[in-house]
Amino acid sequence: MTMVYLVLTALTLASIVAAAMVVLVRRERRRMVSSPEAQQIEAAATRAFRDARRRAHAYEHFSDASGSISALRDRDSRS
């Protein structure tokens, strides 16, 4: 009986690995070789996205700093 469980476990693991391999192979086959123009567009979009993310982070950082400064000003003006 123990041998049956061992075989079933091995079969289950092999089927999981096989399913993962099928997904990866299909995904790789779907990827098409893009033209140089498409690669340039993708690179520009990636750079623009990265720059926008940096600007948003900087804005958040400076907005937090100015909020803290104005809170300190408000606190000091009450006394």
Side-chain angles (χ1 to χ4, degrees), residues 34-50:
S34 56
S35 67
E37 183 181 347
Q39 289 175 350
Q40 288 175 348
I41 291 170
E42 185 177 346
T46 302
R47 278 192 306 270
F49 178 73
R50 197 177 308 128

Side-chain angles (χ1 to χ4, degrees), residues 2 4 13 15 21 27 41 50 54 56 62 64 76:
T2 305
V4 172
L13 289 174
S15 64
M21 291 294 290
R27 193 174 289 168
I41 291 170
R50 197 177 308 128
R54 282 185 190 139
F62 286 117
D64 286 349
D76 291 341

Side-chain angles (χ1 to χ4, degrees), residues 7-77:
V7 170
L8 286 176
T9 303
L11 197 61
T12 303
L13 289 174
S15 64
I16 290 171
V17 169
M21 291 294 290
V22 166
V23 168
L24 289 174
V25 168
R26 282 186 184 169
R27 193 174 289 168
E28 188 62 34
R29 284 186 184 169
R30 276 189 290 187
R31 295 180 85 188
M32 296 177 11
V33 177
S34 56
S35 67
E37 183 181 347
Q39 289 175 350
Q40 288 175 348
I41 291 170
E42 185 177 346
T46 302
R47 278 192 306 270
F49 178 73
R50 197 177 308 128
D51 290 342
R53 194 172 56 209
R54 282 185 190 139
R55 274 188 250 117
H57 179 72
Y59 176 77
E60 180 182 334
H61 176 73
F62 286 117
S63 120
D64 286 349
S66 66
S68 300
I69 291 169
S70 64
L72 287 174
R73 244 186 273 134
D74 292 342
R75 185 195 69 183
D76 291 341
S77 66

